[in-house]
Amino acid sequence: MRRDELLDAAEGLLCDQGSDALTLAAVADRAGVSKGGLLYHFSTKEALIKAMAERLIGDFDELLAAQPYDTYTKRYLGATMAAIRSGRLRRWAVVTGASGNMFLLTPLREAMSRWHSEGIRDEPDPVAAQIVRLACEGLWDVASHDPSLHSEEELAALERRLLALL
């Protein structure tokens, strides 16, 4: 069983049953492996949650790098929209809901700090860039809790309007 499959099983368990259901035994059962097989990859529940958070960060960094725009904020907006459209943001709500321990979510906090400060001084209008990045945060939050709230047409209109601010 590969590491990503175990992480998928943990995310699925969290999504379907909530954070109280996240135990190593339940993840192993859902993934169809022995608890020992799971422990080979993740020695504790905390290690599993941290790995889920690190995977989220890596996924979003890949989306950022794939965007064709000329500024970081435009790439950030493009990556946010791509994450919303692909349903990837469900992971954010699931993983952040998995732990009340901020130590486990430290990688997410560090990534957010990086995403909100990187290249901000190089933007043509740094204040507008901050507004767009914060609007993306709001979109992430809404889409992670109710992905069907915005239609594709509404998302496209929001994206056009936010790009126009830049």
Side-chain angles (χ1 to χ4, degrees), residues 91-102:
R91 286 182 172 174
W92 288 96
V94 168
V95 172
T96 57
S99 172
N101 181 339
M102 288 310 296

Side-chain angles (χ1 to χ4, degrees), residues 75-144:
R75 288 191 301 276
Y76 187 80
L77 173 59
T80 298
M81 291 301 187
I84 291 170
R85 289 178 175 123
S86 68
R88 289 180 178 174
L89 289 185
R90 179 183 96 160
R91 286 182 172 174
W92 288 96
V94 168
V95 172
T96 57
S99 172
N101 181 339
M102 288 310 296
F103 172 74
L104 298 176
L105 298 178
T106 296
L108 283 175
R109 291 174 58 199
E110 291 171 353
M112 284 292 183
S113 178
R114 175 173 48 87
W115 293 330
H116 281 274
S117 62
E118 190 164 324
I120 201 76
R121 293 175 197 239
D122 300 328
E123 296 285 346
D125 183 341
V127 173
Q130 286 179 329
I131 291 168
V132 169
R133 292 180 195 195
L134 291 170
C136 288
E137 293 300 320
L139 285 169
W140 284 13
D141 190 40
V142 169
S144 66

Side-chain angles (χ1 to χ4, degrees), residues 2-151:
R2 292 187 341 236
R3 184 177 167 91
D4 279 340
E5 292 167 340
L6 294 169
L7 294 173
D8 289 342
E11 288 172 2
L13 184 69
L14 281 167
C15 186
D16 296 343
Q17 299 179 27
S19 60
D20 289 341
L22 185 68
T23 66
L24 292 178
V27 173
D29 185 54
R30 185 168 187 125
V33 300
S34 68
K35 189 171 175 184
L38 175 65
L39 289 171
Y40 174 79
H41 293 282
F42 307 105
S43 59
T44 64
K45 178 179 171 179
E46 291 74 19
L48 179 66
I49 293 169
K50 189 172 181 190
M52 286 189 288
E54 289 169 348
R55 182 168 78 160
L56 290 174
I57 295 163
D59 284 352
F60 193 74
D61 283 339
E62 288 175 13
L63 281 175
L64 264 167
Q67 300 305 308
Y69 296 112
D70 62 338
T71 69
Y72 187 88
T73 301
K74 288 178 185 177
R75 288 191 301 276
Y76 187 80
L77 173 59
T80 298
M81 291 301 187
I84 291 170
R85 289 178 175 123
S86 68
R88 289 180 178 174
L89 289 185
R90 179 183 96 160
R91 286 182 172 174
W92 288 96
V94 168
V95 172
T96 57
S99 172
N101 181 339
M102 288 310 296
F103 172 74
L104 298 176
L105 298 178
T106 296
L108 283 175
R109 291 174 58 199
E110 291 171 353
M112 284 292 183
S113 178
R114 175 173 48 87
W115 293 330
H116 281 274
S117 62
E118 190 164 324
I120 201 76
R121 293 175 197 239
D122 300 328
E123 296 285 346
D125 183 341
V127 173
Q130 286 179 329
I131 291 168
V132 169
R133 292 180 195 195
L134 291 170
C136 288
E137 293 300 320
L139 285 169
W140 284 13
D141 190 40
V142 169
S144 66
H145 295 289
D146 186 359
S148 65
L149 186 62
H150 294 101
S151 68

